Each structure stands twice: as structure tokens, then as C-alpha cells.
Amino acid sequence: MKYLMIVLSAVFIFTSCKSGSNDAKDMSVNTQAEAPVQAKTTDIDIATAKTMIAQTKDLVLLDVRTPEEVALGKIGDAMVMDFTEPDFKEKAGQLDRNNTYIVYCAAGGRSSKAVAIMQDLGFDKAFNMVGGYTEWSKK
């Protein structure tokens, strides 16, 4: 009898935990479904960037390459802010958080890090252009 009680208790506890786990899983799915359209995935391709440039009000192109790289060319009237400068984070923090930003570098590595910094600073609409200026200039 004692053995039966232990087994039944274990089954009850196990199924209770399992049920709670599923509830938590279901709740997280519902929460994600109700989340804003932009999640933390901020990478966009060149085609998406071009569409956004054509259709988005208050969009800022942010070139985070070095002056030497920018001298080779840039996209339109992009704002230049060298990611390698020690005050990059401070300068980024002074930008208008209401704007939408497409951030690019040569290939997408530094711009990805720049977008992460911007998100930490409270920017909700900052996107990394994958492929950077190198891919843009090929299209």
C-alpha cells in the first residue's frame, strides 16, 4: 500500500509538472503571437532595404564604415558614423529614436553590432543590411 501511494504521488506530481510546462509553453506562443511585428531579428536583405527606402517615412541610412571606406562611395545621402570610433555608442544615443534606421557597413558584421548597440539604447526600428555596401554596389 505504501509503495502504491508513492507511485501514485509520483505520477500526480509528474503529470502536474508536465501540464504546467505545457501551459507555460502555450502562454509563450500566445505572447509571441501578440508581440510587435518587429522582433529582435533585424537583418534585412538588399531588396528589402530598397523597398523600405522607397516606402518608409523618416528613414535614415546609417553608414558605419571608416572614412577610408566611405571615400570609395556610399548609398545616397547616408549619415556616416564610424563604428570603430570610441564614441560610437555615445553618438548613436543622440540619434532620434522615432526614425527607422537601415545600418550598413562593408559586408554586415559591424552594422550588425551597431544595430545591437542601438537596440540596447532603445531603438525599436534599426535594421542591419546584410551584405552591406559591397552587395548594394553589385545590384
Side-chain angles (χ1 to χ4, degrees):
M1 180 75 168
K2 186 176 180 181
Y3 179 74
L4 179 62
M5 291 299 291
I6 292 171
V7 170
L8 288 175
S9 296
V11 169
F12 177 76
I13 291 170
F14 177 73
T15 57
S16 295
C17 291
K18 186 175 180 184
S19 174
S21 174
N22 286 340
D23 291 344
K25 182 178 178 184
D26 291 342
M27 188 167 58
S28 71
V29 169
N30 290 337
T31 302
Q32 290 173 356
E34 296 169 8
V37 174
Q38 180 193 350
K40 285 290 184 184
T41 303
T42 57
D43 290 342
I44 59 171
D45 60 16
I46 302 297
T48 302
K50 287 182 178 185
T51 300
M52 288 176 67
I53 291 166
Q55 298 177 354
T56 306
K57 183 181 175 185
D58 298 324
L59 184 129
V60 176
L61 286 168
L62 182 59
D63 187 332
V64 296
R65 298 175 298 154
T66 65
E68 295 79 16
E69 291 171 304
V70 174
L72 301 173
K74 68 177 188 170
I75 302 170
D77 60 348
M79 174 187 291
V80 177
M81 190 181 304
D82 185 353
F83 180 76
T84 64
E85 290 294 320
D87 62 347
F88 175 82
K89 185 174 182 176
E90 180 183 330
K91 287 181 179 177
Q94 296 172 3
L95 297 173
D96 186 346
R97 285 165 178 75
N98 295 315
N99 291 335
T100 299
Y101 294 88
I102 295 178
V103 184
Y104 71 92
C105 60
R110 287 171 287 173
S111 55
S112 178
K113 293 175 186 173
V115 167
I117 289 170
M118 293 173 76
Q119 288 176 338
D120 287 345
L121 292 170
F123 289 83
D124 294 326
K125 300 178 286 185
F127 299 89
N128 172 45
M129 188 173 75
V130 176
Y133 184 76
T134 303
E135 287 300 314
W136 178 278
S137 62
K138 291 179 183 178
K139 306 233 179 215

